[in-house]
Amino acid sequence: MNYKRISALAVMSLFLGYNSIAQTIKFKTESHDFGIVEEGVQASFTFEVTNTGSAPLVISSVQPSCGCTTPEWSKEPIMPGKTGLIKASYNSQGRLGVFNKSIAVVSNATNETNKTIYIRGIVEKKEENKYTAAEIKASPRLTVDKVSYNFGKIEKGQRVNYKFKITNTGMSDLKIPLNNAILAGCGCIEYKISKETIKPKETVILELIYTPKNLGEIEEVVSITSNDIVTKYAKISLKANVVGSFATPNIMKEGNQNVPFK
């Protein structure tokens, strides 16, 4: 037995193993949905970045897809086990409608040198409350049994659904349009509702169908429109850990060729 050769291979394996985890980047969440944003608001969200490796992680640049988004980030090296921050601010002034912006993060991470994170939402024109106390008291009220639901681990492109209970806790009929009642910045939510007009104290079923478009820990904010003048938009948060595929790979790549395990 050639002990010198075995020893050399062991040292090389340790070296390669060490390098493979030298500095790795992990985001707490890779996207953020602001939901409804009133025009003129500077919508900001801070992404948390953890170095899960064994060497300093350096974020060299953070580049948004448009000038409407301003980034700030940790310029100092992020030490192993420590957390850095990337703040993304979206200027909503004069930008009514859906926005979905990508932000490219470049670092020395060994797992993902180039990483893309996302912010999205819907900018609505600010409206002043012109209702009287009597009108507010007589208004229908949209109440949801759950304000969030987590689908767990699902595949990108997989259609999943959950049924929420909508109750009218107000004093008059609640109306949720059968078409265009749901606003979602991702453009990935469909819905079904059992009826359009809901009597006081009546409960109906709202089914949300979600088809994820991005990978990672995702949270989508769904806003429900109705004639409830107290709460203009009722919000539901949908969460999921979106992966590429559940399939277990049974081959490995050498260069550009697929070869069976040896």
Side-chain angles (χ1 to χ4, degrees), residues 145-146 149 162-166 204-206 208 236 238:
D145 65 330
K146 290 184 178 181
Y149 182 76
Y162 188 79
K163 294 180 179 179
F164 296 85
K165 293 180 180 179
I166 303 292
V204 300
I205 299 299
L206 171 69
L208 296 182
I236 294 175
L238 298 180

Side-chain angles (χ1 to χ4, degrees), residues 102-114:
S102 62
I103 303 165
V105 180
V106 179
S107 72
N108 67 336
T110 54
N111 58 331
E112 289 181 291
T113 303
N114 297 282

Side-chain angles (χ1 to χ4, degrees), residues 15-236:
F15 176 76
L16 291 173
Y18 174 82
N19 280 347
S20 68
I21 60 168
Q23 59 275 341
T24 54
I25 190 168
K26 181 176 177 58
F27 286 82
K28 184 176 181 180
T29 181
E30 298 175 10
S31 69
H32 179 71
D33 192 329
F34 290 104
I36 301 297
V37 176
E38 288 188 343
E39 184 186 11
V41 170
Q42 190 82 4
S44 297
F45 181 77
T46 300
F47 293 88
E48 293 186 14
V49 182
T50 301
N51 179 1
T52 55
S54 56
L57 172 69
V58 178
I59 299 174
S60 54
S61 72
V62 178
Q63 185 63 47
S65 58
C66 77
C68 56
T69 304
T70 304
E72 300 175 33
W73 69 95
S74 302
K75 303 296 195 303
E76 296 297 322
I78 304 170
M79 303 309 290
K82 300 299 182 181
T83 298
L85 304 174
I86 298 175
K87 181 180 179 181
S89 299
Y90 179 76
N91 182 5
S92 65
Q93 185 61 48
R95 296 184 171 91
L96 295 176
V98 174
F99 66 92
N100 195 334
K101 304 300 177 183
S102 62
I103 303 165
V105 180
V106 179
S107 72
N108 67 336
T110 54
N111 58 331
E112 289 181 291
T113 303
N114 297 282
K115 179 69 179 177
T116 303
I117 55 179
Y118 302 88
I119 57 170
R120 54 183 164 271
I122 304 169
V123 179
E124 292 279 310
K125 197 168 187 64
K126 185 176 181 179
E127 295 183 4
E128 295 183 6
N129 187 350
K130 299 179 180 179
Y131 298 106
T132 65
E135 288 174 324
I136 292 173
K137 183 178 180 180
S139 172
R141 298 297 301 271
L142 192 161
T143 304
V144 188
D145 65 330
K146 290 184 178 181
V147 295
S148 67
Y149 182 76
N150 195 331
F151 289 106
K153 183 178 287 188
I154 58 176
E155 290 183 326
K156 181 180 178 181
Q158 178 184 352
R159 284 167 59 90
V160 292
N161 69 293
Y162 188 79
K163 294 180 179 179
F164 296 85
K165 293 180 180 179
I166 303 292
T167 302
N168 179 5
T169 56
M171 303 293 290
S172 57
D173 289 353
L174 175 68
K175 294 185 178 181
I176 301 176
L178 296 177
N179 298 309
N180 302 318
I182 297 298
L183 299 175
C186 66
C188 58
I189 309 290
E190 302 171 63
Y191 75 97
K192 296 177 184 178
I193 191 165
S194 53
K195 61 190 301 186
E196 185 174 20
T197 302
I198 307 166
K199 299 292 183 182
K201 298 183 180 180
E202 184 179 11
T203 298
V204 300
I205 299 299
L206 171 69
E207 180 181 5
L208 296 182
I209 303 103
Y210 174 44
T211 308
K213 296 181 178 180
N214 298 315
L215 299 174
E217 295 286 345
I218 306 294
E219 181 176 4
E220 314 286 4
V221 177
V222 180
S223 299
I224 310 169
T225 63
S226 70
N227 64 332
D228 178 351
I229 65 174
V230 179
T231 305
K232 185 177 178 181
Y233 300 105
K235 295 184 178 181
I236 294 175

